[in-house]
Amino acid sequence: MLGGVGGVGCRVDGLSHFKRLCKLVSPWCQLSASASLASAAPTLTAPVVPPGRRPPPAGWTPVLHSHDVKTIAAQAQQFGTDATFWSEHTRTIAILHGLFGSGRNWRSVGSALGKALAERDTQHSWRVVLVDQRCHGASTQAYDAPAPHTLDASAEDVADFFEKSGIEPDILLGHSLGGKVALAYLDGDKRVMPKCTFVLDSAPFSKHDCPDLGDLHGTFSTLNVLRELPDVVPSRKWLHDTLAPRGMSVDLINWLGTNLVAPEGQGSPEPMVWQWNFAGCESLFQSYVDTCHWETLTRSANSSDASAELVIAQRTFDDWPANQKARLSSLPSHAHHVLPKSGHWLHVDNPKGLVELLM
C-alpha cells in the first residue's frame, strides 16, 4: 500500500498492447501489422500558453505556478519532437502515486514511459504529468485540502486539477492508493475521461471482503511507528537511528526521508519537517481499505470506449486471498496482468518489465 520503494491473465506483447492503446487514445493513430507508426508528423499550430500556466523546459517543472490557482500540485515533462507543451497534438499520461509518496517517486518510470510512447507514436508528443495527491508532497503547501480525506475527495481534486490546468488525460495510471483514486475518478460525472486507465498493485477489494487481510504491504505496522514520530525531525541520521531498531529496512527509511524538507526561510538544511498531512494520509488509507472497486474495474475493463487494466506485482498476487483471485475471471484476459520479479513497489523492483507491459 505504501507508495514508494520496494501470471494470471494474458501477458500482452508490447506491440499488440500498444496497438490497442493507440486505437483507444487516437482513432486516427493506427499501427500497421509491421509494427511501425506513420512517420510523418502533422503540421503543428503555434503554441498558446493559457494564463497561469507555463510550458516546461527540459526536466520536470511545475504545471501551475500561480499562487492564485488553488488546486493540487503537479510536475510535468514533455517527450517527442514537438516541444510545444500546449499543442493540440500533445497526448498526456497522468500518474497518481501511493500512500506517503509523491509525484517525484515516478520520475524515472515516467521518463521511460514518455520516451517510449514518443518513439513509437511519432504523430504526437507525449506529456507525462506527476500529480501530488492531497495531503502529500508539494500539495501540502499548494492546497489546503478540506476534510474528509477520502478516495472520492482525492479523485475530485484530480478532476479539479485537470480542469484548471486545461490538461486532458489520455492515459491515467495509479499505483496503490493512486490506483483506487483512479478508479474513483472513473466513477465521477462530468469529467474528462481517460481512454485507458492502469491500476498498479492496488487491491480492488475492501477489508470487508477479506477479514483476514493482514498487514497490507506492511502499512498498518508502518503507520503505528510513524504515528510516534515528532513533527520536527533533527536529522536524517536521527530518523535512521530511530526507525532501524523498529525493524524498518534502510530502503524504506530512506524513502520515508524523501518527505522531509527544511522549513521555508530556514538557513540550514536541518532540522526538517514532514511534507505530508499525517492525519489526512491515515484517513486516505482508511478509505482505501474500506472501499471496494471491483464493480468499477469490471465495468471499465469491459468497456468498448475505454479500457481499465489491473497490474498486480508477483509477490502481492501470491498473497491475494483465494476468493479475490477467483474474481479476476470477471475481467477480460487482456485486462489483468501479473508482473514477475516484483513486490508492491513494482516500479522500483522491475521498472523495465513494467514499462514493457504497459507498452
Side-chain angles (χ1 to χ4, degrees):
M1 175 62 205
L2 295 173
V5 253
V8 171
C10 174
R11 172 60 185 271
V12 184
D13 67 271
L15 171 59
S16 61
H17 202 164
F18 187 68
K19 286 171 74 173
R20 288 192 305 103
L21 186 58
C22 272
K23 290 178 181 178
L24 287 166
V25 171
S26 178
W28 53 270
C29 174
Q30 302 293 329
L31 282 172
S32 69
S34 62
S36 63
L37 281 159
S39 58
T43 302
L44 300 176
T45 58
V48 177
V49 181
R53 308 172 199 152
R54 59 184 172 189
W60 297 101
T61 305
V63 176
L64 296 166
H65 66 102
S66 171
H67 294 294
D68 296 329
V69 181
K70 301 302 181 185
T71 190
I72 53 176
Q75 54 190 287
Q77 187 171 173
Q78 185 95 350
F79 300 89
T81 56
D82 174 26
T84 305
F85 189 71
W86 298 103
S87 167
E88 63 184 54
H89 299 293
T90 297
R91 297 291 180 258
T92 299
I93 176 170
I95 301 178
L96 308 178
H97 61 79
L99 187 69
F100 293 127
S102 65
R104 65 173 173 258
N105 298 147
W106 282 84
R107 283 178 177 173
S108 179
V109 168
S111 294
L113 279 172
K115 291 174 183 176
L117 285 166
E119 286 174 1
R120 296 200 185 191
D121 180 6
T122 58
Q123 295 187 5
H124 302 92
S125 289
W126 279 84
R127 167 175 52 210
V128 180
V129 178
L130 308 179
V131 174
D132 282 0
Q133 298 193 70
R134 63 165 49 208
C135 305
H136 292 80
S139 288
T140 57
Q141 282 79 44
Y143 174 58
D144 186 14
H149 301 295
T150 63
L151 298 179
D152 288 340
S154 192
E156 187 59 35
D157 293 340
V158 174
D160 181 68
F161 166 77
F162 288 143
E163 180 180 354
K164 290 178 177 176
S165 67
I167 291 174
E168 297 185 357
D170 296 285
I171 301 172
L172 185 60
L173 185 154
H175 172 238
S176 194
L177 171 71
K180 271 193 169 175
V181 170
L183 290 172
Y185 180 90
L186 297 181
D187 272 340
D189 295 324
K190 299 179 181 179
R191 293 173 179 171
V192 177
M193 288 297 169
K195 303 301 187 298
C196 188
T197 299
F198 290 102
V199 179
L200 306 184
D201 214 54
S202 183
F205 47 84
S206 73
K207 67 178 182 182
H208 307 293
D209 302 314
C210 309
D212 301 324
L213 191 58
D215 190 358
L216 190 63
H217 308 302
T219 307
F220 290 105
S221 55
T222 300
L223 282 169
N224 289 334
V225 173
L226 295 180
R227 201 176 288 117
E228 301 172 7
L229 295 180
D231 293 334
V232 179
V233 175
S235 66
R236 296 186 187 277
K237 182 180 183 303
W238 180 91
L239 184 70
H240 183 274
D241 292 345
T242 301
L243 296 183
R246 303 293 297 270
M248 285 194 183
S249 68
V250 173
D251 285 342
L252 179 57
I253 296 170
N254 289 340
W255 171 70
L256 289 169
T258 64
N259 289 284
L260 288 170
V261 295
E264 189 174 353
Q266 179 175 288
S268 60
E270 296 175 344
M272 296 170 287
V273 295
W274 295 104
Q275 198 178 33
W276 62 38
N277 174 343
F278 184 79
C281 290
E282 279 196 296
S283 296
L284 286 168
F285 178 63
Q286 191 62 51
S287 181
Y288 177 95
V289 298
D290 284 343
T291 305
C292 177
H293 270 306
W294 268 116
E295 183 178 342
T296 304
L297 179 61
T298 302
R299 183 188 70 245
S300 301
N302 285 282
S303 170
S304 59
D305 299 325
S307 170
E309 303 189 20
L310 177 65
V311 180
I312 312 170
Q314 178 66 66
R315 291 193 290 275
T316 297
F317 186 72
D318 291 343
D319 294 333
W320 260 37
N323 66 330
Q324 298 305 308
K325 289 182 179 179
R327 296 189 70 171
L328 287 172
S329 61
S330 65
L331 304 179
S333 61
H334 69 260
H336 54 100
H337 320 269
V338 174
L339 181 67
K341 301 178 182 178
S342 65
H344 183 56
W345 293 320
L346 68 183
H347 57 302
V348 175
D349 295 336
N350 190 358
K352 182 179 179 181
L354 176 61
V355 171
E356 290 176 351
L357 188 153
L358 295 177
M359 291 298 296

